[in-house]
């Protein structure tokens, strides 16, 4: 096992020779992992006085157990937006080099740092303006911490490995000019540990479990959340890498591994593959924010805005429109807010223009309209089309308004919400021809209590023709019955079990 403490009370892999995980394997996910680390850290308009910046630290927060369970046990689930005292990742590992395979684990989190402004005489104040006009504000900052180990797979199979995670307590004092006062930054000690274990499922398949727990002494039960955060790991997430082994997608697993994937239990976090597209890969990011496999930060994005669900262009434009007074407060709130303002204020025009959008790929479309029909942007392109009366052939049956169908969303590439509707029956409301030549059918669900209302104001579900199975009229004797649900396993399950897609 190779590990070493690095500056700032964190661990990193020690220099080593011989076989090991490929250099930079975690760096493939560096920008995504950093986005997870600082998601929601400070939100637009980046001011301390903003209401949204008074309730912070919402993802991957691990408190001391006795404090977070003072009113009852935590409820396991894959959502990392719920406070907990532990975080557990389980995923599958295919062994490619028996006897020499190694596993690398990096745990990352934030340590809260209290920035307290004090005027002359060391009296705490909420804000202080120095003689040069600079404003200093009391605020809670955070520092990034990480710990990394590398362990031979055979050692993990023999009994697992536990290592310390956390950060030391500390205090930094910054004296302000002309004796105006000082800024004191204090941190409490964080104590946690991570245990890595591996179970062999077959000769070349293992299940790896990484469990991180906060082991710090709990504050008094009625301590406020803001105070308890001083002993919490914040935005906790885990990176896993393998040398001589590769990880299996829990979202779209290879054929034959669906049952093993469903048995994986992920609690307060969810693992996804990094690296190039595929159903296996050399690295995994297990994050408290549910992501797709192979997540990426758009190359057009010039920097983190701490709100990855928002559109960069919109946030950039709104930040540009902040008043001078708002910008002064944002700069005084946190150095990361100041960095965002500097980046926005000095952004070159060509960089800003790239934020407007990009086309990642273009695929040829096979036109379904007659060759003599005008292009969709030309006058007359819609002539002869009638969504309410048009039909499309599916398995030799013309489907149009009023036709009854069973929904069969395709197993790969289907919208996640559509997957929940598999096997349900519906009525076709209209047939729509898209500008790229494709066809979609608008349907309303038979068992939807609001079907009539949805049809009245045009709210439909949309499916491609190959995702529909024609049925006879309602009550038709030859109508196939709905598929029987799979037999439930004879044990208790929870929503922390991996929801692998069944349809292929």
């Amino acid at each position: 096992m190779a590990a070493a403490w690095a500056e700032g009370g964190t661990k990193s892999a020690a220099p080593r020779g011989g076989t090991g995980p490929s250099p930079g394997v975690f760096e493939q996910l560096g920008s995504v992992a950093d986005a997870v680390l600082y998601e929601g850290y400070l939100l637009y308009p980046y001011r301390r006085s903003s209401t949204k910046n008074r309730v912070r630290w919402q993802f991957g927060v691990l408190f001391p157990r006795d404090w977070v369970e003072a009113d009852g046990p935590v409820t396991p689930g894959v959502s990392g937006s719920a406070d907990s005292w532990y975080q557990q990742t389980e995923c599958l590992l295919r062994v490619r080099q028996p006897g020499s395979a190694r596993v690398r684990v990096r745990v990352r989190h934030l340590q809260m740092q209290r920035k307290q402004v004090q005027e002359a005489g060391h009296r705490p104040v909420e804000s202080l303006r120095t003689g040069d006009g600079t404003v200093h504000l009391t605020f809670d900052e955070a520092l990034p911490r990480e710990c990394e180990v590398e362990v031979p797979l055979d050692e993990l199979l023999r009994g697992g490995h536990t290592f310390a995670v956390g950060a030391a307590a500390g205090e930094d004092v910054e004296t302000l000019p002309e004796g105006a006062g000082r800024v004191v930054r204090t941190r409490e000690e964080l104590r946690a540990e991570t245990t890595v274990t591996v179970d062999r499922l077959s000769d070349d398949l293992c299940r790896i479990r990484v469990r991180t727990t906060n082991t710090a002494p709990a504050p008094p039960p009625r301590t406020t959340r803001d105070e308890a955060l001083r002993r919490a790991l914040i935005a906790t997430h885990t990176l896993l890498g393998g040398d001589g082994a590769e990880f299996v997608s829990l979202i779209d697993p290879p054929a034959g591994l669906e049952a093993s994937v469903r048995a994986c239990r992920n609690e307060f976090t969810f693992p996804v593959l990094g690296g190039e597209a595929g159903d296996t890969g050399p690295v995994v990011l297990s994050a408290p924010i549910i992501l797709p496999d192979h997540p990426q930060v758009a190359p057009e994005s010039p920097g983190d805005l701490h709100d990855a669900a928002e559109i960069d262009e919109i946030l950039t434009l709104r930040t540009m429109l902040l008043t001078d007074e708002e910008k002064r407060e944002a700069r005084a709130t946190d150095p990361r807010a100041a960095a965002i303002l500097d980046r926005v204020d000095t952004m070159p025009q060509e960089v800003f223009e790239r934020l407007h959008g990009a086309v990642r790929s273009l695929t040829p479309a096979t036109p379904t309209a007659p060759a003599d029909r005008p292009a969709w942007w030309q006058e007359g392109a819609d002539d002869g089309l009638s969504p309410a009366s048009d039909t499309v052939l599916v398995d030799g049956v013309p489907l149009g308004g009023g036709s009854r169908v069973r929904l069969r969303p395709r197993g790969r590439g289907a919208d996640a919400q559509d997957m929940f509707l598999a096997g349900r029956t519906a009525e076709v409301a209209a047939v729509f021809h898209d500008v790229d030549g494709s066809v979609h059918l608008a349907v309303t669900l038979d068992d939807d209590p609001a079907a009539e209302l949805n049809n009245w104001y045009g709210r439909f579900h949309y499916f491609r023709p190959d995702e529909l199975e024609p049925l006879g009229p309602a009550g038709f004797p030859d109508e196939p019955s709905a598929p029987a649900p799979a037999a439930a396993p004879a044990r208790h399950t929870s929503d922390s079990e991996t929801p692998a897609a069944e349809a292929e």
Side-chain angles (χ1 to χ4, degrees):
M1 185 274 289
W5 287 101
E7 183 180 356
T10 66
K11 268 188 179 179
S12 61
R16 60 185 183 276
T19 303
S22 303
V25 66
F26 286 164
E27 283 60 39
Q28 298 176 24
L29 282 168
S31 58
V32 176
D34 287 344
V36 170
L37 189 66
Y38 287 102
E39 178 66 11
Y41 174 81
L42 195 64
L43 299 174
Y44 170 88
Y46 309 112
R47 294 181 283 108
R48 182 187 70 170
S49 60
S50 175
T51 301
K52 65 176 74 173
N53 288 322
R54 296 177 187 175
V55 181
R56 304 168 68 204
W57 325 118
Q58 301 300 313
F59 303 102
V61 182
L62 307 186
F63 288 99
R65 181 173 186 175
D66 288 347
W67 182 86
V68 77
E69 291 193 330
D71 295 322
V74 296
T75 302
V78 295
S79 172
S81 60
D83 292 341
S84 179
W85 56 274
Y86 75 96
Q87 191 178 80
Q88 176 176 296
T89 297
E90 283 191 358
C91 55
L92 301 184
L93 190 67
R94 270 183 165 167
V95 183
R96 296 305 189 192
Q97 297 177 14
S100 63
R102 304 175 70 87
V103 174
R104 187 172 162 191
V105 178
R106 179 184 295 176
V107 179
R108 307 176 79 227
H109 61 92
L110 294 176
Q111 179 187 23
M112 198 179 90
Q113 174 173 266
R114 177 69 173 173
K115 180 182 71 171
Q116 178 64 62
V117 178
Q118 299 177 352
E119 63 182 9
H122 300 174
R123 189 175 72 86
V125 293
E126 287 299 305
S127 65
L128 180 67
R129 185 185 297 271
T130 56
D132 61 359
T134 302
V135 176
H136 299 270
L137 299 177
T138 293
F139 194 65
D140 289 334
E141 302 171 333
L143 298 178
R145 304 299 192 196
E146 64 183 39
C147 183
E148 180 179 314
V149 295
E150 180 186 331
V151 190
L153 179 60
D154 287 347
E155 177 181 331
L156 296 175
L157 286 166
R158 287 193 297 268
H161 180 82
T162 298
F163 59 97
V165 177
E171 179 177 287
D172 301 317
V173 179
E174 174 190 356
T175 302
L176 299 179
E178 301 176 358
R182 64 180 191 170
V183 177
V184 181
R185 291 177 168 87
T186 58
R187 301 171 296 280
E188 289 196 20
E189 181 185 15
L190 300 183
R191 298 183 195 174
E193 64 180 25
T194 296
T195 298
V196 186
T197 57
V198 174
D199 300 320
R200 188 180 295 280
L201 303 181
S202 65
D203 289 344
D204 65 346
L205 184 67
C206 298
R207 178 172 57 239
I208 184 170
R209 179 185 302 110
V210 180
R211 186 179 176 96
T212 299
T213 61
N214 188 322
T215 59
R222 297 307 168 190
T223 300
T224 65
R225 187 178 187 273
D226 286 346
E227 284 299 314
L229 281 164
R230 295 167 67 84
R231 301 186 190 182
L233 282 66
I234 299 169
T236 312
H237 59 281
T238 305
L239 290 162
L240 294 89
D243 183 73
E246 61 185 10
F247 297 93
V248 171
S249 170
L250 299 192
I251 297 175
D252 191 10
L257 296 183
E258 293 88 348
S260 298
V261 162
R262 285 196 297 271
C264 291
R265 295 178 62 88
N266 288 283
E267 299 178 349
F268 305 103
T269 186
F270 190 79
V272 297
L273 293 181
E276 297 181 0
D279 53 17
T280 62
V283 63
V284 158
L285 169 62
S286 186
I289 301 169
I290 299 178
L291 301 169
D293 278 337
H294 316 291
Q296 294 181 343
V297 172
E300 294 80 12
S301 178
D304 197 353
L305 295 168
H306 307 323
D307 192 355
E310 189 51 272
I311 299 172
D312 277 21
E313 183 183 34
I314 293 176
L315 280 181
T316 299
L317 286 168
R318 298 193 69 175
T319 302
M320 287 177 174
L321 295 175
L322 291 175
T323 65
D324 290 342
E325 182 59 34
E326 288 175 320
K327 289 183 177 181
R328 279 192 292 270
E329 183 185 347
R331 290 183 184 279
T333 295
D334 191 275
R336 290 187 170 273
I340 290 173
L341 293 177
D342 290 341
R343 186 170 68 243
V344 168
D345 288 345
T346 61
M347 185 177 294
Q349 182 63 26
E350 61 271 18
V351 174
F352 178 76
E353 289 175 354
R354 287 202 296 268
L355 298 181
H356 189 64
V359 176
R360 299 289 179 224
S361 64
L362 292 174
T363 56
T366 303
T368 57
D372 57 351
R373 178 180 294 281
W376 63 267
W377 62 85
Q378 295 176 329
E379 185 176 356
D382 292 339
D383 291 351
L385 296 180
S386 175
S389 59
D390 285 348
T391 61
V392 60
L393 281 178
V394 176
D395 295 337
V397 178
L399 295 183
S403 299
R404 297 190 64 253
V405 295
R406 190 179 303 281
L407 307 180
R408 302 291 189 191
R410 58 194 188 279
R412 298 186 181 215
D415 184 277
Q417 299 299 320
D418 290 349
M419 297 295 290
F420 289 111
L421 305 179
R424 305 269 287 275
T425 59
E427 180 177 316
V428 175
V431 177
F432 291 99
H433 296 263
D434 297 340
V435 296
D436 63 0
S438 60
V439 176
H440 283 81
L441 288 84
V443 304
T444 55
L445 300 175
D446 287 344
D447 57 356
D448 184 353
E452 185 177 353
L453 180 62
N454 289 335
N455 190 65
W456 176 72
Y457 60 73
R459 184 180 179 89
F460 304 113
H461 297 280
Y462 294 89
F463 290 86
R464 302 188 319 180
D466 60 358
E467 296 179 299
L468 301 177
E469 174 189 331
L471 299 177
F476 192 70
D478 294 329
E479 178 181 322
S481 59
R491 63 181 181 87
H492 174 72
T493 60
S494 72
D495 63 352
S496 63
E497 297 187 39
T498 302
E502 303 250 358
E504 293 296 328

